[in-house]
Amino acid sequence: MGVKNWKPAGNFSAGELELIQHKYSLPRPIAVYFAARGIDAAAIPGFLDPRLANLSDPYRFPQIKEACARLWQAIENREPILIHGDYDTDGITASALLALVLRQNGAVVNSFIPHRFDDGYGFTPESLQKALEMFGPCGVLVTVDCGITSCDAVRSAREQGIDVIVTDHHEAGDTLPDALALINPKVYPELEDLQLLSGAGAAFKLSHAFIKYGREKNLGGFMTRLEEVLDYVALGTVADIVPLLGENRVMVKYGIEALRKQIRPGIRALIESSHLHSDLSPSDITFRLAPRINAAGRVGDANVALQLLESDCIVDAYNYAGQLETFNRNRQEKEQEIYQDAKEQIERGLAWQSPYSLLVAGRDWHQGVIGIVASRLARDYNRPTIVLTIQGDNAYGSGRSIANLNLVEVLSKSAPLLERFGGHPMAVGIGLKTENIAPFYEEMDREVRSQIDPAELESFISYDGEADLGEMTPEFFNYLEKLSPFGHSNQKPVYRFNDLQVVRCGAIGGGVHTRGMMINRTGQIEFIAFNRPVSDFYGKVLDVLATPQLNKRHPDMPPQLNIVDIREIY
């Protein structure tokens, strides 16, 4: 691994820092965090004390009252309600969330999760007919995590007398579907503060409005506790890598608390099979829970994951969790095989690549795991990356972006060469003819060059600002906890500590990692350095980038620095 530059994250003045620190009586490193992240001073009290009561009124969504009225009417008339979801964690949790809330209030609900390969992505006329054949007629259909570009499917449903409610968070096309209601913040400019919602977040907004409407009209909803379905929102939001800011941060904070309580048998079985403890964090969702849920849709049957989340029986839940373990092992094997093939292409100069972008393709690579491979390659090479699987005359793939590059916008410029594309700014799916791969890459690379700052392609580590060991006080760690939950766009703070002398160090983890103690003129602190040998530390004086942390499993242990990077002074 090459030497990386260190760059301070923010460009703030000493005066701005002092204003934040003294206005709210904050420890200086906490004030540094807010200044570096550009968080408005007026928003700091709410950031430190996020409350469910501060979630905005769901009635802000146009048409949402009409959607609620129709759902309650369906319940009164015993009309079946069909939920059309998606096969990733966001879509599966959104389906489970909405189904639970509706069933708690007397609805007859069926949930359809399309098969990644048999049905493809999204709400389509074909998936509509398959769902109706599977479950029979319905009066109302609600999409979750899909539907905003499904004009043909919505039209087909309406022709069959079905009222469609679309809940989604993806970018809309030029034409909106003619649905009864569109619950998607990206459709409404006035909902700018909600643009970051996940699919599960959008489904929660409909659920919130549904319960509010039922209580106002004395139709029901009095026994539903919405805070108890926030575990689903936390899973979907973190898994879909949307920013943990604004209302997302509030819902994930309380959703993590619900996950820790393991209210549902399926959640308990999932946590146990992932070998996790009760002190869950968003990173546990990212690296342990979501991959198991996603694996069902990638290499197996996503309905197994839905059955797990909806299970009322712990015995059944353990069975479903076991199936997810099998799917996940299969996913890991296929992913590693394709990743190694892709790396070999890159190193041998066989991939389409430039200093600005990267595209690799392989015949019959497993379509369910190429998105993960794209993520790994984008991280390895710090370039927007497309990974394609070639199947006959067609190629299907996934792309991952870097920095602030909007990959959907980039692909829109090469749309004539694509059969389909869509997704988020940071993650996309595409389909194209094999013969168009080379011209597509040239067009994509040209557009990336025009949109990205070359400085964003540099390999660097960002840090919030400088801190002293003497500032690592109990008060600081108390405030540090209030900055969580950490995740996308709200990463754990990284500080620069200068002139630290290593006075003790030893190998742990079979010599792979190092633990020890550092001191300087302001104090001393324990440290841990993963994947760094003792020789990097023994007898040295260093500048370090590190994240301060407490050991939650062993609260009697002293605070420590989790080392991110080091520079030897002498």
Side-chain angles (χ1 to χ4, degrees), residues 56 69-70 195 240 245 267 323 326 354 371 391-392 415 462 485 505:
S56 63
R70 184 65 184 90
Q195 299 287 308
D240 224 48
L245 298 171
I267 295 295
Q323 291 183 59
T326 301
S354 80
Q391 299 175 5
S462 176
C505 63

Side-chain angles (χ1 to χ4, degrees), residues 2 36 121 123 199 212 249 353 455 479 491 502 510 543 564:
Y121 169 76
F123 177 43
K212 180 177 181 179
R249 183 167 170 270
Q353 57 186 310
Y479 273 99
Q491 303 290 342
V502 180
D543 290 346
V564 175

Side-chain angles (χ1 to χ4, degrees), residues 163-184:
D163 290 319
V164 180
I165 300 166
V166 171
T167 76
D168 201 354
H169 71 125
H170 294 92
E171 298 287 346
D174 294 334
T175 303
L176 294 175
D178 187 19
L180 175 69
L182 301 176
I183 316 302
N184 182 343

